[in-house]
Structure formats: C-alpha cells, structure tokens
Amino acid sequence: SVRTGSGGGSADGSGTGTDPAGGGPEGADPLDPLGGSPDGADPAGADPLGADPAGGGPVHGTWEAEPAARWEDAFLSGNGRHGALVHGDPHDERVIVTHHALVRPVPAADTRPPRLAGRLAELRDRLLAGDTAAGDEFTDGRPLRWVGSFHPAFAVRVRRGGAPPGPGGVPGYRREVAFATGVVRASGGGRESRVFVSRADDVVVQYVTGGPAVTGIRLDADLPGAPPGLAVRHGAAPLPGGALLTLRARHPEGGGGYTGVALVVVDGGEAEPVGGGAAPSGATAAPDGGGVRLRGAVRGVLVLTRVHRHAGTSDAQDVPAEAARLRALLEGAEGTAAGYARLLARHEEAHRAAYERVVLDLGGERAERAMPGSALLARRRGAALLERLFAAGRYHLLSASGMLPPRLVGLWTGDWDTAWSGAFTTDANLNLQTASAPAADLPEVVEAHAALVYGQLDDWRDNARAVFGARGVVAPAHTDGVSGHSYHFQRAYPLHVWTAGADWLLLPLLEHAETTGETDRRLVGALAEVARFYEDFLTRTGPDGRIVVVPSYSPENRPAGAGRVTVNATMDIAAARHALTAAAAHLPADAERLRALAARLPAYRVNGDGALAEWAWPGLNDTYDHRHLSHLYPVWPLGEVNPYDTPGLARAAHRALELRGAENDSAHGHLHQALVAARLRDAGRAAGSLRRVLEGDFFHASLMSSHYPRRRVYNADAAHTLPGLLIELLVQSAPDRLVLLPALPAGWARGALRGVRTRFGARVDLRWRDGSCTAVVRPSRTARIDLRTPAGGRPLALTAGEELVLTLGTG
C-alpha cells in the first residue's frame, strides 16, 4: 500500500549523544546504549516510521576496559588528512600521528610506465593466433617496483608523574571513542585524556587533565619498522604559557621528509625544554630528548599537532609561521578547557552532521549493546555486533577520507612496514571501500575519491600512450597517491595491461551525480578521455565481426592452463561497454559513434557449467578458486546483469558465484561475494559470506579490520565495505529502479535503516518488524521508477517534495 504526504525531515531518535565537553545535550553519554527515547515513545515530530519499540537505539561508539597494548587496537580519529591512533595509557600515553601525504619517496625514473606500444601489434597477433603465453614477454624487463610506502610520522608521548599503575590498573579505567564526535577518551583514577582530529582546523587535538600531573611531553619517531637511515632532529622552545616541539625527519632514500610541529599549552606550572638535536637511526637521543618537562601545579595540558610532508629542503615547513597559526586557533580562549571546547565545537559541527546522515538499527539486545567491543566481537554474531560494525565502518570511512580516499590501511598505521605499501589497490580494494558512499550519503568520501582520480589524469594519459599508443586515459591497478603511473607489475601480475580501472574508479562519481542530479564538468571530461582510449584501443575484430578486447586481463586471475595476459576478459568487456555508453549519455555530439562502438563489443559467454565465464573466448577455461570476482563486475557494481532485465544472465552469474572459491580467505573476497549475492537476491549466500567474516576474527578491538582471518595484516577493506553491504541487503537503487529488501537475511526480524540516498534523487527510510515493512520515500526530483519488493514489482510515480509511505511484506 502507498500513502503520500508533504515533504519534511525525519526525526531519527537515534540518540547518538555527544561528548560531555562538546556542544550536545548536557551530560549526554555518547556511548549510552539506551541513548534516544528511553521509554521507547515516539519523540516529538517523529517520522511515520516511529521509534524502536525496544527503546534506545544502536551504540554510536565503542569502549574497552584496558589501554591498547598493540597499535592495531588503538582507537582511531581522523579528518581525511591527519590521523591519530590513541592507545589510552593513563601513565604514558602514545598518540601516533599519521598523514595521507606521508609516503616514502620513489625515484621518478622508476615510476615511468613501460614504453611497450611499439610491441603491441605483435602481442595481439600472437594472442589471437592462440599463443596463450605471449603476454609473459610483454614487459620492459624491469623487476617488480613497489609504489611508495605509507608510514606514520611519530608518537606524541605524554607522561605523568608517580609510579605506573599496578597489576590492577587504574581504578575505574575506561577507553572509548564516540563516533558522532570523533573524540577518543581515556579516563580513570581521576585522570583523563581526550583526543580528536579536527575536520574544521586540520589539527590533532589532545587535552589532558587530572592527576598525577603531567611531567613530560615529547615527539617520538622511534616506531616499529622505522628505517635505519631515517634522520631525525628534535627541537623544543619555550613560549608564554607553554612550549613548541618540533621534529624534522629526512627519508633515507633522499627526496625530502616531513616536519611535525606541536604546540603545548598548560594551565598552571611551566614548561621547560629538554634536550633536542639530532638522533641517529630514527631514535630519540635520550628518553626525554627533544621534549618539554612540566613543573609546578599543572591543571590541564592542551597539545595541538600538525605534520607537513616536504619534497626537499627548500619547501621544509616554516616552523615559526606554523606556530603562529596554531596559536591563532586559541586566540581569546581563557585556559586549556575553553580552548579545547572551542576547537571541538568547530570540528563537531562538520563531523557530526556527516556521520549522522545514515543510521542502522537492527534491534540489538540492550545487554549486548552495553558490551565493550572486544567482548562483542568474541560473540561473533548478533544484531548488536552488526550495528556497531556498521557505525564503526561509517565512522572510519568518513575519518579516513578528505585529502585522499582511504588507503588499504585507511589513514592509520603504527608501523613503517605496511603490507602492500599501505597504498591504493584499484582492482577491488579501494573500489569496495568507497562504493557505498553515494547511497550512504557520504559526499565527503566521494570528494576525496574524486581528488585522487582527477589529480592523476595526467599520469593516466601517460599510461595510455606508453603501453597502448592510445589517446585518453588508463588507470593503474596500484598507486601510492603520489604517482598515477602504471609501474607496479610483473609477469605473475601483469597489471600494466589492465584497462578496466578507469571505468571502475569513475563509477562512484557517476553514481553520486545521479544521486544529487548534478554532474561535475570534470567527470564529463574524464568520461570523454576514457571513451577516446577505447576508440583507439578497440581495433581488432574476431571471426564473428565483433570487437576483440586484446590484450586483456582479469585481475588477478588466469585461465586454466594459460597465461594471465589473454583475450576478452569479461570485466574488460563490461567496463568498455559501460564507459562508452556512459560517455555517450554525457556527450551528445559523440553519442551515436560511441554507442555504435559499444554495440560491437562481444556478448558475455556462458560456459559448460552454466556459469558466466571469466573469459569470453574459446579455449580459455575458468579457474574458480580465486579471491577476486572480476567477471561478475556486470552484476556488482554495474548492475547491467540483474534478475529483472537479464534473468538468464543473472542465473549464469549466480552459478558462477556458486562455483567461486574463497582462495586465501581475504576479507575483500568474502564481502565481494556477499555484494554480488545481494544483487542477485540470494540472502542466504550473502549472509553466509558475511558470517565467514564475523566468525573469522577479522576485527581488532579498535573495530578496524584485517586482511586475513585471525587479525593478520591490518587492513580497512572489511571495516569500510561492511556498511555498504548491509545497505545493499536492504535497499538498492538504479536511475530507474528502487529495490526494497532484496536480500533480507533470515533472523533479521526487525530493524530500521534511515537516510539512504538513491540514484533517482530520493531519500529512503525503512523499518521492518514481524513480517511487515514500512518505507518512506522522500524524492527531491520527479521521476517514474520501477519498484521491486519481495512481493513483486510495479511502477511508482514520484513527485518532487511529496513524501510516499509504502507498506509491504518482508517475505
């Protein structure tokens, strides 16, 4: 059934609360599992979905009863540029500071794409003649060269006087992070510290109060994996009411380094500089070298920290100027408490608004919602766990996105030896992490993703010319955010011949444009360049007169008994078709030509097992046990193959999903399978893949994730992808379609999802319970769409500004 009403906002009643020192409700606890309507009554002005009958709502934070013993368990804060990992040790606090720009340098000569265009014709001839190993020789002979490795800057160390806590720890200790504010708080025994990274002022803010008094503060670059040749120089200078700490580091490879500047402000007492100078091998010269010693009756300490990457000595940070900028942030504030409150209020206004746009409530048990994160993770099941991982993933994705989108490690690492360079892998990982941003209403993530894409187009042009002799652009499969050249490849991973990357990387930007109804002119330009590449690249035809995509590569798999460089990988066909048709939609003058080229691309192939084949070429047989699902790109994220328009291909895709193995149990493989299953309306399979992640011990106490089971290899794939998966299980959209409850898992008896955005310009709120569901659709544009529910499909007319309330069954 359907009823309509006037437009208006939704009072979500989620009760996220705020930090007591911030600007929210007085005394509110951001971690209160009963935050929201305590009696379960509808709040004033509530939307038609009503309040959760159980009262309260999901927890918008997490907590632990002990400090983090490992950096992987440190609670996280970030603003998309600076990051902070907070251990919460009440005696010797360590806040590890990171920055998206901190990447070890790679010599420019090593980052050039291979000049192979002159050999392309020969490679094509050999591959089309059946030489399946021809691609093994398509290289310039260089060894594998990793992209620049992401690394931490240093730890801000804050020591207190008195003896360290005994075996029982600090009485009443609690370490917590509030997702709605981004504040990490550690308290107990009269001691307290609070840390956040300001989205408004781009500074790491650390506020320490209580006794025993703080006795010393320093910047410590001696972190795990720091290279032996790292040259570090400390500085400390007194200032009225505090001191200024500096740390200058030079990379052993040359090519610049970074500078950290920390303004220390104290209430009461005085700050005395200690030590300083050069420190060999990245270690401090003495335990308090380059720091400050605090004396007297210190009541509160406020530390403001920034890091700057510089390519050489000429652009090294001007420390006096930076000190003046940091002091200006506190101008007029009376004392450290007032300064902290001002900075938090400015930050919270931007951060909270973004975080609270979408909320998921699965009706978790009150007792489970009250648990610390580690205890909840140990249960490996339950609504409260999924609620908290959804909230944490949303928080971490927002916090990691700004200057750039999230890396393989988000924005955080406590170790210089990051797996896969802690970079951006664009043949699945980055794409999975950011895919939910349009639907999850996180334009901040889309903008960060756009910064990476548009900032590298010059390098993408070089790739197209050097490898393929073509106009347009080709995206790399691996980038450190500095260079967009394709130079990370080897025989086993011929990533330089992969051509589908630009289409996948532009897809979130296209979906965002559909969601908002506004198209960035830069997007149109990029689409035109991708189309130009395909016009130059797609020149060979097969016996049937259709285009042959050659060379072709299906990341990171290979056909049975053949080389990895092949012909007609399904992903490459799908990407080419989508890129050409998307460009045609935005380039009217070129539309007819581009659509004609797209129409000549080969059809997908169904193999002898009835599965959508990974290669649409005779003799290239599938290898099923692999973590990537590149050939199911037409299903997710494209939606070209779906149960409504292409039921036959959808069945073949489902068969391919059934046959796919998990290979090395990587988190991204499991969640990718779940996303495809959700698009194919297979709730059981999607829930099974999700269950393997929950039961595989993939999450640290920080609720950041790992790449492999048993918390091996710190990695953001699972943490950032999981919210997108949970949304896909409940709401999916296309420019002309809304799908409600496509893959509701068994056991999800009740819940609510609020604030989801659709690609036809509407917001959707959803509540289900006891077999029935209510959806509120709030369109900003007039449209006619196809509505699909568990009961079937029908057309639905939407009028801008007119709210629709839909009632349906869940089965």
Side-chain angles (χ1 to χ4, degrees):
S1 65
V2 179
R3 64 182 175 89
T4 63
S6 61
S10 168
D12 69 16
S14 58
T16 55
T18 186
D19 190 292
E26 184 177 353
D29 182 353
L31 307 181
D32 179 5
L34 305 181
S37 285
D39 60 358
D42 286 9
D47 63 67
L49 301 184
D52 180 357
V59 174
H60 292 278
T62 195
W63 70 280
E64 295 294 329
E66 296 177 345
R70 305 162 62 246
W71 67 261
E72 292 90 343
D73 292 326
F75 284 163
L76 307 174
S77 187
N79 67 352
R81 297 181 70 88
H82 283 90
L85 299 91
V86 185
H87 288 71
D89 187 327
H91 183 71
D92 183 6
E93 173 62 291
R94 291 167 292 160
V95 176
I96 299 174
V97 177
T98 63
H99 193 288
H100 253 315
L102 295 185
V103 175
R104 294 185 70 172
V106 179
D110 291 353
T111 68
R112 298 191 184 103
R115 296 189 175 278
L116 300 171
R119 296 164 51 191
L120 185 63
E122 178 192 358
L123 172 66
R124 286 172 158 170
D125 290 341
R126 292 175 60 185
L127 288 170
L128 292 174
D131 184 354
T132 60
D136 293 349
E137 303 169 17
F138 193 64
T139 173
D140 61 1
R142 74 179 74 177
L144 176 67
R145 184 60 161 104
W146 281 91
V147 300
S149 183
F150 179 62
H151 64 82
F154 48 77
V156 180
R157 302 287 292 267
V158 177
R159 289 186 175 177
R160 292 185 182 270
V170 175
Y173 178 85
R174 181 179 172 107
R175 172 171 64 103
E176 60 192 33
V177 55
F179 299 152
T181 63
V183 175
V184 180
R185 176 184 176 189
S187 62
R191 318 171 187 204
E192 183 171 275
S193 70
R194 302 180 188 214
V195 179
F196 69 92
V197 185
S198 173
R199 188 165 281 273
D201 298 308
D202 192 24
V203 64
V204 181
V205 179
Q206 188 172 1
Y207 180 45
V208 183
T209 58
V214 173
T215 60
I217 303 173
R218 65 187 175 95
L219 307 183
D220 183 2
D222 190 17
L223 297 174
L230 183 69
V232 177
R233 180 173 293 275
H234 298 274
L239 292 174
L244 187 73
L245 301 180
T246 60
L247 183 150
R248 295 184 186 271
R250 295 279 297 172
H251 289 116
E253 303 91 345
Y258 58 95
T259 300
V261 180
L263 175 67
V264 179
V265 181
V266 298
D267 286 336
E270 58 184 24
E272 175 190 6
V274 177
S281 302
T284 51
D288 293 316
V292 294
R293 182 179 297 124
L294 304 187
R295 301 181 182 277
V298 177
R299 299 184 301 277
V301 179
L302 185 61
V303 184
L304 308 183
T305 305
R306 282 183 180 149
V307 178
H308 296 268
R309 170 80 161 85
H310 42 84
T313 56
S314 61
D315 63 341
Q317 183 60 24
D318 184 339
V319 171
E322 184 59 87
R325 287 189 286 267
L326 291 174
R327 288 175 67 86
L329 295 176
L330 302 175
E331 187 173 350
E334 296 293 333
T336 55
Y340 173 82
R342 173 197 291 178
L343 293 169
L344 177 60
R346 285 170 49 80
H347 156 74
E348 184 178 344
E349 182 178 3
H351 176 90
R352 178 185 286 276
Y355 172 78
E356 291 185 341
R357 293 185 196 119
V358 173
V359 177
L360 176 67
D361 184 339
L362 293 175
E365 297 285 341
R366 292 190 180 194
E368 291 188 356
R369 285 174 168 173
M371 288 180 175
S374 56
L376 201 53
L377 287 168
R379 298 177 71 85
R380 303 189 178 187
R381 57 178 175 78
L385 173 59
L386 285 173
E387 288 172 348
R388 198 172 306 186
L389 290 177
F390 179 91
R394 183 174 174 78
Y395 164 70
H396 290 141
L397 178 58
L398 172 65
S399 300
S401 302
M403 172 185 173
L404 292 169
R407 298 173 174 274
L408 287 169
V409 292
L411 182 51
W412 304 279
T413 180
D415 193 323
W416 281 67
D417 188 18
T418 49
W420 303 290
S421 292
F424 305 90
T425 301
T426 68
D427 63 6
N429 309 74
L430 173 63
N431 322 72
L432 286 159
Q433 290 190 42
T434 59
S436 69
D441 201 2
L442 284 176
E444 296 84 357
V445 177
V446 177
E447 290 163 8
H449 184 79
L452 176 68
V453 170
Y454 299 139
Q456 294 195 346
L457 287 179
D458 279 344
D459 289 353
W460 292 14
R461 295 182 188 106
D462 292 343
N463 298 335
R465 286 192 299 268
V467 181
F468 302 100
R471 299 171 300 160
V473 294
V474 172
H478 211 49
T479 172
D480 50 21
V482 178
S483 170
H485 283 151
S486 293
Y487 65 90
H488 173 83
F489 64 92
Q490 62 180 151
R491 177 177 175 176
Y493 292 96
L495 299 166
H496 58 300
V497 300
W498 182 55
T499 57
D503 184 67
W504 202 352
L505 289 172
L506 288 174
L507 189 58
L509 308 183
L510 272 168
E511 293 185 349
H512 178 70
E514 293 166 346
T515 298
T516 62
E518 299 175 358
T519 302
D520 189 327
R521 59 180 178 80
R522 297 174 299 173
L523 175 58
V524 177
L527 289 170
E529 294 213 59
V530 179
R532 277 196 288 273
F533 167 75
Y534 282 120
E535 286 190 285
D536 288 357
F537 175 65
L538 299 175
T539 59
R540 294 296 184 99
T541 56
D544 59 357
R546 286 186 175 270
I547 287 169
V548 177
V549 182
V550 58
S552 191
Y553 177 56
S554 189
E556 297 172 7
N557 202 5
R558 65 188 297 174
R564 293 176 183 269
V565 180
T566 59
V567 179
N568 278 2
T570 296
M571 183 181 199
D572 283 345
I573 297 169
R577 180 179 289 116
H578 178 261
L580 289 166
T581 54
H586 290 83
L587 301 166
D590 302 326
E592 184 177 355
R593 185 180 76 253
L594 298 179
R595 291 194 179 103
L597 181 60
R600 294 177 54 217
L601 284 161
Y604 302 130
R605 183 170 71 93
V606 176
N607 66 20
D609 295 320
L612 185 67
E614 192 156 357
W615 296 272
W617 192 253
L620 298 182
N621 298 319
D622 285 73
T623 301
Y624 290 124
D625 188 21
H626 200 269
R627 64 197 177 278
H628 281 255
L629 289 89
S630 304
H631 59 314
L632 297 182
Y633 182 63
V635 180
W636 186 92
L638 287 187
E640 175 197 1
V641 172
N642 62 71
Y644 320 106
D645 304 318
T646 58
L649 281 174
R651 287 190 293 272
H654 190 269
R655 180 60 178 153
L657 185 63
E658 290 176 332
L659 294 171
R660 202 65 169 188
E663 196 191 7
N664 60 10
D665 256 342
S666 62
H668 73 80
H670 288 309
L671 293 181
H672 199 163
Q673 289 203 22
L675 284 161
V676 174
R679 287 287 175 94
L680 296 174
R681 301 185 305 194
D682 187 340
R685 186 169 296 276
S689 294
L690 174 60
R691 185 172 59 252
R692 281 187 282 277
V693 172
L694 298 180
E695 294 178 352
D697 193 17
F698 277 92
F699 287 89
H700 303 281
S702 60
L703 302 189
M704 182 47 71
S705 52
S706 63
H707 189 269
Y708 296 115
R710 296 180 297 281
R711 287 169 286 158
R712 291 185 295 125
V713 185
Y714 193 82
N715 176 275
D717 290 348
H720 291 166
T721 303
L722 189 141
L725 168 61
L726 300 189
I727 290 174
E728 287 271 348
L729 297 175
L730 302 171
V731 178
Q732 297 170 13
S733 73
D736 58 356
R737 180 177 292 123
L738 172 64
V739 187
L740 299 177
L741 302 181
L744 180 69
W748 289 24
R750 62 188 176 96
L753 175 65
R754 305 172 185 270
V756 171
R757 300 194 72 174
T758 69
R759 292 165 62 189
F760 49 83
R763 295 180 187 272
V764 175
D765 293 347
L766 196 69
R767 182 179 293 281
W768 68 97
R769 184 181 179 92
D770 299 331
S772 66
C773 175
T774 301
V776 180
V777 183
R778 298 182 174 91
S780 61
R781 304 196 298 267
T782 296
R784 188 170 181 83
I785 63 169
D786 175 28
L787 173 66
R788 294 285 176 161
T789 74
R794 58 187 172 87
L796 188 67
L798 303 176
T799 302
E802 187 172 277
E803 180 181 280
L804 270 73
V805 180
L806 311 173
T807 304
L808 55 139
T810 62

